């Protein structure tokens, strides 16, 4: 069993507004609008011998909270690095900020459930 690796995932949500400046002025997405976003952070690793855990979910949640606090109830266009806040850009932004704090991070998925849309950034 010691050669097995496991994947664990933690979900989170945030509500935020954005607009897309690359659309025509009369396009609905060029106007300010908001979404309820959902995300999933996935880590891969070997379970620790003493705990059997890849990583304590509480530790993962604490790191996600730091990111969530920067996004929740914000205008995403005003967040440094999210001037063009597509799902792809948000997923990459979250991944880049969590990567140093969460060894074993393999994927970040960001969804707009009401639209049926998602973007996933995956390592390698």
């Amino acid at each position: 069993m010691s050669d097995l690796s496991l994947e664990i995932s933690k979900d989170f949500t945030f509500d935020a507004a954005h607009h897309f400046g690359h659309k025509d002025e009369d396009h609905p997405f060029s106007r300010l609008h908001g979404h309820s976003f959902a995300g999933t952070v996935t880590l891969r690793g070997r379970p620790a011998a003493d705990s059997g855990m890849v990583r304590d979910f509480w530790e993962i949640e604490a790191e996600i909270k730091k990111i969530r606090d920067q996004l929740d109830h914000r205008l995403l266009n005003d967040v440094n690095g999210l001037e063009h806040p597509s799902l792809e850009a948000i997923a990459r932004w979250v991944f880049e900020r969590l990567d140093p704090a969460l060894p074993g991070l393999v994927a970040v998925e960001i969804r707009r459930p009401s639209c049926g849309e998602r973007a996933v950034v995956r390592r390698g």
Side-chain angles (χ1 to χ4, degrees):
M1 286 279 258
S2 63
D3 62 338
L4 295 179
S5 69
L6 296 171
E7 284 191 3
I8 59 172
S9 297
K10 178 72 176 161
D11 294 333
F12 66 100
T13 61
F14 64 96
D15 297 301
H18 65 166
H19 60 84
F20 292 114
H22 68 281
K23 297 289 187 182
D24 291 335
E25 191 175 297
D26 61 343
H27 193 284
F29 298 153
S30 68
R31 295 190 298 268
L32 184 65
H33 62 283
H35 298 280
S36 290
F37 293 88
T40 302
V41 172
T42 302
L43 284 75
R44 180 182 301 133
R46 298 196 186 285
D50 60 342
S51 68
M53 295 188 293
V54 172
R55 183 83 183 237
D56 188 316
F57 278 107
W58 183 86
E59 293 172 2
I60 298 168
E61 185 172 345
E63 293 302 326
I64 290 172
K65 182 183 182 321
K66 295 174 190 175
I67 299 302
R68 187 180 179 278
D69 288 348
Q70 296 177 62
L71 302 175
D72 193 42
H73 287 84
R74 308 277 181 180
L75 175 58
L76 296 178
N77 301 73
D78 290 346
V79 174
N80 189 25
L82 285 178
E83 293 79 10
H84 306 285
S86 64
L87 276 179
E88 298 90 337
I90 299 166
R92 185 177 19 244
W93 187 92
V94 171
F95 190 101
E96 289 170 353
R97 279 145 189 83
L98 287 177
D99 193 33
L102 295 176
L105 181 66
V106 292
V108 169
E109 177 178 287
I110 301 294
R111 299 178 300 283
R112 286 190 292 243
S114 65
C115 301
E117 300 166 345
R118 71 186 67 226
V120 180
V121 173
R122 189 176 313 280
R123 185 180 312 282

